[in-house]
Amino acid sequence: MAIEIGDIDHVGIAVEDLDAAIELYRAVLGVEPTHRERVEDQGVEEVLFSVGSSFIQLLGAIGPDSPVGRSLASRGPGIHHVAYRVRDVAEALEHLRAEGVRLIDEAPREGSRNTLIAFVHPRSMEGVLVELVQERPTGGR
Ligand code: CO
């Protein structure tokens, strides 16, 4: 059972105003959004910018009672989570469970871009909310 971390898939950044943040990133970093998606079950609208083989993910809250909405209310905008690419999320979760790591998601679930994801509790990860991302072949869904 191995976790097999690949690249960093993305760094998620909570923002108050998604459109203003997109303009800021465009103007300051010269990056163009490559993907925008509303992920209802996570209560977020996300925008991805390609940076090398990774993404920067800007996260706007759909409502104040969503996880990102609550994070914005308590901590303000900033880094929300770090996502690692893994070969197999289910296998990675089994490894973490065996290591006694506290999980938010006990099983993989649907992420954006047709990925499978799972979140790991920040209390087990030095205060960092960690996400595991498994890419799946596109076309389908
Ligand atoms: Co994410």
Side-chain angles (χ1 to χ4, degrees):
M1 207 63 62
I3 184 158
E4 289 189 50
I5 298 283
D7 293 342
I8 287 182
D9 186 80
H10 61 271
V11 174
I13 299 168
V15 304
E16 303 272 8
D17 180 334
L18 192 53
D19 290 308
I22 293 167
E23 282 316 310
L24 175 75
Y25 270 66
R26 193 180 257 147
V28 174
L29 297 184
V31 289
E32 287 296 324
T34 54
H35 184 82
R36 183 169 184 149
E37 183 170 343
R38 218 175 139 90
V39 188
E40 295 289 345
D41 76 324
Q42 289 177 48
V44 297
E45 183 150 359
E46 66 165 59
V47 168
L48 296 175
F49 298 90
S50 283
V51 179
S53 63
S54 306
F55 297 102
I56 292 293
Q57 179 188 61
L58 300 182
L59 295 166
I62 285 177
D65 207 29
S66 61
V68 170
R70 286 191 294 271
S71 171
L72 284 167
S74 62
R75 290 190 291 275
I79 292 181
H80 183 261
H81 63 274
V82 175
Y84 298 100
R85 226 167 265 157
V86 296
R87 195 180 53 77
D88 185 320
V89 172
E91 206 173 282
L93 286 176
E94 272 188 62
H95 165 81
L96 294 173
R97 209 176 276 121
E99 291 292 322
V101 170
R102 190 164 154 193
L103 303 175
I104 292 175
D105 294 309
E106 293 293 333
R109 59 184 165 111
E110 295 279 333
S112 66
R113 297 183 298 119
N114 191 37
T115 57
L116 275 179
I117 64 155
F119 282 96
V120 181
H121 203 283
R123 252 179 228 157
S124 286
M125 297 301 294
E126 302 288 346
V128 176
L129 176 60
V130 167
E131 181 183 2
L132 306 172
V133 178
Q134 176 183 342
E135 296 200 305
R136 292 186 293 186
T138 45
R141 176 133 178 189

